[in-house]
Amino acid sequence: MTKYIFVTGGVTSSLGKGIISASLAKLLQSRGYRVTIQKFDPYINIDPGTLNPYEHGECYVTEDGAETDLDLGHYERFLNTPTSKANNITTGRIYQNVINKEREGAFLGKTVQVVPHITDEIKRNFRILGENGEFDIVITELGGTVGDIESLPYIEAVRQFRWEIGSNNSLVIHLTLVPFLAAAGELKTKPTQHSVKMLLEYGIQPDVLVCRTEHHLTNDIRKKIAQFCNVNINAVIESIDAPSIYDVPLLMLKEQLDKTVLTKLKLPHKNEPSLENWKDFLGRLKNPTADVRIALVGKYVELPDAYKSITEAFIHAGAKQECKVRIEYIPSEQLTPENAVEKLKGMHGVLVAPGFGERGFEGKIQAIRHVRENNIPFFGICLGMQCAVVEFGRHVLELEGANSTEMNPDTPHPVIGMMEDQKNITLKGGTMRLGAYPCDIKKGTKAAAIYGKNHISERHRHRYEFNNDYLKQYEAAGLTPSGINPDNGLVEIVELKNHPFFVGSQFHPELKSTVANPHPLFINFVAASLAYARKK
């Protein structure tokens, strides 16, 4: 029978439920268990696809085209296994499903209520991944903090679910804060006690407490927390601030979180965790032999979480190259023809980030012109690739006013246009070209050398595309379409001849980079930036 682990949070948000869930999953996976993680978010949006990145960080896209919470990116990067739409559920999705059933008459005239109908739908979603036979353990992270109004149905659903599946088949890990009061010079356990007390009021006794702290927990403090929160002392786990999220699995191993969990679930302690590759990655990450400065030009740079997968992909690629990647965030709105050279001074590579809308578009064009003309390594992702196409059209092909129809619907040269199947869509949510699509790579190109194969699959999230009416002009002038979708002929990758590294991808390669498999485009971009840095 599949076992279920629920991860809840108290006291404050941002304690790191996602990283703890991913770290525990990594430890259990390394012991030979088949593990997956799902995230339940209490907001009423159907998915994060329509949320401003400033509100919620980046929107992560799965293989099957679900727009999901950025925590799913952590799950994939740690476990090296893909997630799906079943791994991220929101309150909006839960209510939508229940309301659709009510409209169909599925409840036979009954009054539809939060209990039992909403809680039953939540429990049905708890089970989906556990019932397909693929996993021994399903970890479910509940967003928000205990005591939030919107979290109540989830907590109640967990209470009912645990009662239904019987003892030893599930456990609750509660993340909480043990703050340090500088004036008193001591750690305080009261916030943790209150948080557990609130959980108990809802009928749930946590089995394990993970205590986020800036200072080590003494044995006396662990004893006090155990006594007042009704848990074993070995189930009080210290989660101290770490230099990198990738340290957390080893910190949890030291705290024996995986052993405690397996004991409580009555599961055998299979092999000791096999973490040699992980330790090798950490060794490379922490002992770089060189460093490079790469500019990330985007419109949401004030919140680094808006580009979380890109920054993590740089960490993976940097470790592979034994190189520290120093990312310099540059707001695209601040770039002008007059200051682009100054703003990008000292950079060894420039990545122009994905995004939507006109704000900062012209700044990205200026950045690309500078790196193209000065042979500085360039990598454009999604809108970043489209900007490269517009810039090349304007300044090399001399197509005056060349633009994307997203920015100027009346442009005389629509080198980037809306995809045909997107033109009649009026709804915003979940309607873009989403998820994994195939791509054929032309032999003899830089892309072919980077991937080492001619057929790949990458994840997408866009409405606009390269306009194939201009294809021959671009190719003749040296901007090669080196990756093409075999089903519809859409351009997926462009690259510039006679340039150390100038590559744009319509897809999002950062979404497939993991600790175990850093993405080849990022590895090669970092290598090109390193080569440029050494020449300087």
Side-chain angles (χ1 to χ4, degrees):
M1 179 179 175
T2 304
K3 306 275 188 172
Y4 295 87
I5 298 169
F6 296 96
V7 180
T8 59
V11 187
T12 80
S13 57
S14 303
L15 288 179
K17 293 191 297 290
I19 301 299
I20 291 295
S21 300
S23 299
L24 173 59
K26 182 72 207 168
L27 294 178
L28 295 172
Q29 183 193 57
S30 65
R31 283 180 176 272
Y33 286 100
R34 298 171 304 156
V35 190
T36 190
I37 320 175
Q38 54 184 357
K39 171 86 183 274
F40 282 65
D41 273 308
Y43 50 75
I44 298 173
N45 303 64
I46 302 293
D47 58 45
T50 54
L51 283 175
N52 185 322
Y54 286 133
E55 288 270 331
H56 205 68
E58 79 169 0
C59 174
Y60 188 80
V61 180
T62 58
E63 286 283 296
D64 61 354
E67 292 177 294
T68 68
D69 183 81
L70 61 79
D71 272 335
L72 270 73
H74 290 312
Y75 306 163
E76 290 201 10
R77 288 188 280 273
F78 276 55
L79 296 180
N80 199 35
T81 52
T83 52
S84 71
K85 65 181 178 192
N87 292 74
N88 190 200
I89 309 291
T90 66
T91 293
R93 178 91 55 81
I94 296 288
Y95 272 81
Q96 188 182 49
N97 291 348
V98 171
I99 289 165
N100 288 345
K101 284 181 188 171
E102 185 273 332
R103 293 289 81 187
E104 292 161 8
F107 298 119
L108 303 174
K110 286 247 197 293
T111 305
V112 180
Q113 295 175 288
V114 173
V115 181
H117 300 100
I118 297 297
T119 49
D120 281 353
E121 178 64 16
I122 293 170
K123 288 187 291 183
R124 186 184 74 78
N125 281 277
F126 285 164
R127 285 194 174 93
I128 287 173
L129 289 166
E131 289 180 343
N132 63 15
E134 287 179 36
F135 304 107
D136 306 312
I137 300 167
V138 175
I139 299 175
T140 301
E141 179 195 342
L142 301 183
T145 50
V146 170
D148 297 347
I149 289 173
E150 57 261 39
S151 296
L152 286 176
Y154 292 100
I155 300 295
E156 172 58 18
V158 170
R159 186 195 66 76
Q160 292 178 20
F161 186 79
R162 298 191 75 195
W163 180 79
E164 288 168 13
I165 64 172
S167 56
N168 305 327
N169 290 320
S170 72
L171 65 80
V172 170
I173 296 173
H174 188 54
L175 242 84
T176 176
L177 180 68
V178 180
F180 180 79
L181 289 191
E186 60 184 357
L187 291 164
K188 291 294 182 185
T189 66
K190 196 62 76 178
T192 293
Q193 293 177 46
H194 279 297
S195 182
V196 171
K197 185 180 175 188
M198 187 164 278
L199 205 50
L200 285 166
E201 284 175 16
Y202 300 141
I204 292 177
Q205 166 65 55
D207 302 279
V208 177
L209 295 177
V210 174
C211 303
R212 185 69 189 270
T213 174
E214 295 172 2
H215 298 265
H216 289 290
L217 302 181
T218 63
N219 215 37
D220 284 348
I221 284 178
R222 290 187 196 240
K223 225 182 245 177
K224 187 176 180 182
I225 292 171
Q227 184 178 11
F228 288 109
C229 298
N230 304 329
V231 297
N232 305 337
I233 191 163
N234 67 346
V236 178
I237 305 291
E238 172 189 282
S239 174
I240 199 153
D241 290 359
S244 155
I245 58 171
Y246 299 109
D247 286 304
V248 179
L250 297 183
L251 293 174
M252 291 303 104
L253 179 67
K254 191 177 169 192
E255 287 286 301
Q256 302 194 338
L257 175 60
D258 53 330
K259 280 187 178 173
T260 303
V261 162
L262 291 173
T263 302
K264 288 184 180 294
L265 290 173
K266 296 279 190 287
L267 286 170
H269 295 207
K270 289 190 177 179
N271 334 326
E272 278 304 299
S274 167
L275 291 166
E276 291 318 304
N277 292 343
W278 194 270
K279 288 174 183 170
D280 176 57
F281 160 74
L282 271 178
R284 288 164 172 269
L285 181 65
K286 292 183 175 183
N287 299 290
T289 56
D291 64 354
V292 292
R293 293 177 70 201
I294 290 177
L296 193 158
V297 179
K299 61 189 273 194
Y300 306 114
V301 293
E302 293 87 345
L303 183 75
D305 268 7
Y307 302 112
K308 194 68 182 164
S309 290
I310 291 174
T311 55
E312 297 306 313
F314 274 129
I315 289 172
H316 308 152
K320 183 80 174 171
Q321 299 282 8
E322 295 186 14
C323 163
K324 168 84 176 166
V325 178
R326 300 186 189 280
I327 299 174
E328 309 271 344
Y329 295 95
I330 297 181
S332 49
E333 283 166 289
Q334 293 178 11
L335 288 172
T336 65
E338 293 74 39
N339 73 8
V341 176
E342 187 57 37
K343 291 263 186 192
L344 296 172
K345 200 173 176 182
M347 298 299 158
H348 307 130
V350 173
L351 181 141
V352 174
F356 297 91
E358 202 174 344
R359 185 167 67 85
F361 182 76
E362 293 299 326
K364 291 177 176 179
I365 300 288
Q366 295 307 326
I368 294 167
R369 182 174 193 175
H370 173 64
V371 296
R372 178 180 59 76
E373 292 178 347
N374 292 281
N375 284 335
I376 300 167
F378 162 76
F379 188 13
I381 296 176
C382 200
L383 181 64
M385 170 199 134
Q386 295 173 5
C387 289
V389 170
V390 171
E391 190 279 327
F392 194 85
R394 288 181 190 176
H395 303 127
V396 178
L397 297 178
E398 296 179 348
L399 303 171
E400 197 174 331
N403 214 328
S404 162
T405 55
E406 180 184 6
M407 313 308 160
N408 176 9
D410 304 317
T411 171
H413 292 291
V415 292
I416 301 290
M418 186 174 271
M419 303 168 69
E420 282 303 319
D421 59 359
Q422 291 285 321
K423 286 183 177 172
N424 299 319
I425 289 173
T426 53
L427 296 175
K428 288 273 191 283
T431 55
M432 284 183 276
R433 186 169 194 239
L434 293 163
Y437 286 89
C439 170
D440 288 350
I441 297 178
K442 288 184 183 172
K443 289 179 179 166
T445 58
K446 188 181 280 291
I450 287 169
Y451 277 98
K453 50 189 176 184
N454 298 113
H455 305 288
I456 59 165
S457 168
E458 293 280 6
R459 297 183 200 174
H460 291 248
R461 185 175 184 246
H462 63 105
R463 290 184 204 283
Y464 294 82
E465 54 159 322
F466 184 96
N467 183 345
N468 282 350
D469 292 346
Y470 291 88
L471 198 61
K472 284 192 165 58
Q473 269 178 276
Y474 273 86
E475 202 161 7
L479 193 68
T480 307
S482 53
I484 304 284
N485 181 293
D487 303 324
N488 52 26
L490 295 184
V491 173
E492 299 274 18
I493 307 172
V494 297
E495 59 183 66
L496 189 58
K497 285 180 180 170
N498 308 319
H499 191 285
F501 192 100
F502 191 101
V503 177
S505 70
Q506 182 60 77
F507 48 77
H508 289 259
E510 72 276 16
L511 299 176
K512 291 187 79 163
S513 184
T514 68
V515 169
N517 284 310
H519 197 284
L521 280 171
F522 278 88
I523 292 171
N524 282 270
F525 176 52
V526 170
S529 302
L530 196 52
Y532 180 83
R534 285 175 175 151
K535 271 195 303 190
K536 292 302 278 181

